[in-house]
Amino acid sequence: MKLYLSVDMEGITGLPDYTFVSASMHNYERARKIMTDETNYVVDAAFQSGCDEVLVNDSHMKMNNILIDQLHPEAQLITGGIKTYSMVHGLDDSFSGAMFIGYHTRAGMPGVMSHSMIHMVRNFYINDIQVGEIGMNAMVAGYHGVPVLLVSGDDETAKEAEELIPNITTAIVKEAVSRSATKSLTPKKAGELLQEKVKQAIENRHQVKPLLPPDNPVLKIEFVNYGAAELAHMMPGTEIIPGTTIVTYQAKDILEAYRALLVMIELAYYTQYA
């Protein structure tokens, strides 16, 4: 049995704000260690539960955060920032399930460090269904017929995951006090919880269905300002809905929609420097 892990950082135990998740900030190196240890708890429980292969995809920022020299020796790691499918790169139909570790809520929602990919984005939509990183990534997994078995993060992240995916297992390692404060378990207690929840999720895997994406989806991205929308609109095939900051793209499938999203947010990212 093969298991796919997409590991983000904002939802990792004990991390309350951007001083922990930005490489230029003073708490970052501490957070990398906690992130790596948390991944190891999940990997170890997966092997104990009958998995014979675990692929870890570092899914935060430049995607080179996990300390490979401290990672579980039997895991494999995708690391580095230029990846065709970003947070779900390497995921295909050979996997029995996926788990999203250290995730967070979408932009505009309660939750620690809530956002959707970049801070120039207000909302993502697939055919008018509002989604964040959990939803977009789960739809890519669903395209491959792979169910998302577990999501870990704060309590608000758990709610978002449970609304999207019936019967999913969630691991709440911290509670959101505000967007930049948290009431958290200690890493050791969170690790024990994660190991329990991973085993539970694998036992329950047949009760979870893949989140199937729509055929020929329309991707809509609502940006925080018109400049970001203008830059995203530089991508061929896009349209700006008049009177809004929403850029649309008609895709042939969710994989094309996902790649279009990545291109548009990369373009829009540079608005902050204009």
Side-chain angles (χ1 to χ4, degrees):
M1 179 168 57
K2 291 175 64 176
L3 183 67
Y4 182 93
L5 303 182
S6 175
V7 185
D8 204 352
M9 204 168 191
E10 286 87 355
I12 295 294
T13 303
L15 311 191
D17 59 43
Y18 284 98
T19 66
F20 288 83
V21 301
S22 175
S24 63
M25 302 299 282
H26 61 286
N27 283 318
Y28 173 69
E29 290 302 325
R30 291 173 56 205
R32 294 181 75 190
K33 178 67 166 61
I34 298 170
M35 179 187 191
T36 304
D37 289 345
E38 194 148 301
T39 302
N40 283 336
Y41 280 115
V42 174
V43 173
D44 185 61
F47 282 123
Q48 288 184 32
S49 300
C51 293
D52 48 31
E53 185 175 334
V54 179
L55 178 61
V56 178
N57 182 23
D58 192 326
S59 298
H60 176 71
M61 292 290 285
K62 295 297 183 182
M63 303 187 175
N64 56 5
N65 312 280
I66 292 173
L67 302 168
I68 193 169
D69 55 319
Q70 297 178 32
L71 187 63
H72 192 294
E74 300 303 317
Q76 297 180 70
L77 177 66
I78 299 176
T79 183
I82 306 300
K83 297 182 287 195
T84 306
Y85 292 105
S86 188
M87 299 179 77
V88 282
H89 193 83
L91 179 56
D92 59 32
D93 61 7
S94 67
F95 290 89
S96 300
M99 295 184 181
F100 296 165
I101 307 302
Y103 268 55
H104 54 81
T105 50
R106 67 181 188 264
M109 298 300 290
V112 177
M113 293 182 274
S114 59
H115 67 280
S116 296
M117 293 286 195
I118 65 170
H119 296 295
M120 301 307 296
V121 168
R122 183 170 286 125
N123 287 302
F124 293 149
Y125 299 90
I126 294 291
N127 284 9
D128 296 322
I129 301 169
Q130 192 172 6
V131 294
E133 293 171 33
I134 296 172
M136 285 295 298
N137 294 339
M139 284 187 184
V140 172
Y143 175 88
H144 294 296
V146 178
V148 178
L149 305 178
L150 179 143
V151 170
S152 75
D154 67 20
D155 53 328
E156 297 292 342
T157 302
K159 291 177 189 176
E160 185 172 320
E162 289 163 356
E163 289 173 1
L164 281 167
I165 305 167
N167 300 320
I168 192 172
T169 300
T170 55
I172 299 172
V173 300
K174 57 189 178 184
E175 297 176 11
V177 174
S178 68
R179 193 172 176 275
S180 58
T182 180
K183 176 184 176 183
S184 181
L185 299 177
T186 62
K188 186 176 186 300
K189 285 295 184 182
E192 293 170 357
L193 174 67
L194 282 163
Q195 291 200 308
E196 175 187 329
K197 291 291 187 175
V198 168
K199 293 173 183 177
Q200 178 184 325
I202 291 174
E203 289 174 1
N204 189 55
R205 66 187 183 279
H206 299 300
Q207 306 304 314
V208 184
K209 295 181 180 179
L211 183 62
L212 298 177
D215 296 328
N216 308 119
V218 176
L219 168 68
K220 297 180 183 178
I221 306 178
E222 182 181 11
F223 291 96
V224 299
N225 62 51
Y226 199 80
E230 285 180 318
L231 278 172
H233 182 42
M234 291 178 68
M235 192 181 85
T238 60
E239 298 291 342
I240 299 179
I241 296 177
T244 76
T245 59
I246 298 173
V247 182
T248 68
Y249 181 81
Q250 173 68 67
K252 66 179 181 182
D253 56 33
I254 196 66
L255 299 186
E256 184 176 87
Y258 195 89
R259 293 182 70 177
L261 180 150
L262 294 176
V263 171
M264 284 193 277
I265 63 174
E266 284 295 323
L267 288 167
Y269 177 80
Y270 291 98
T271 309
Q272 62 189 315
Y273 302 114

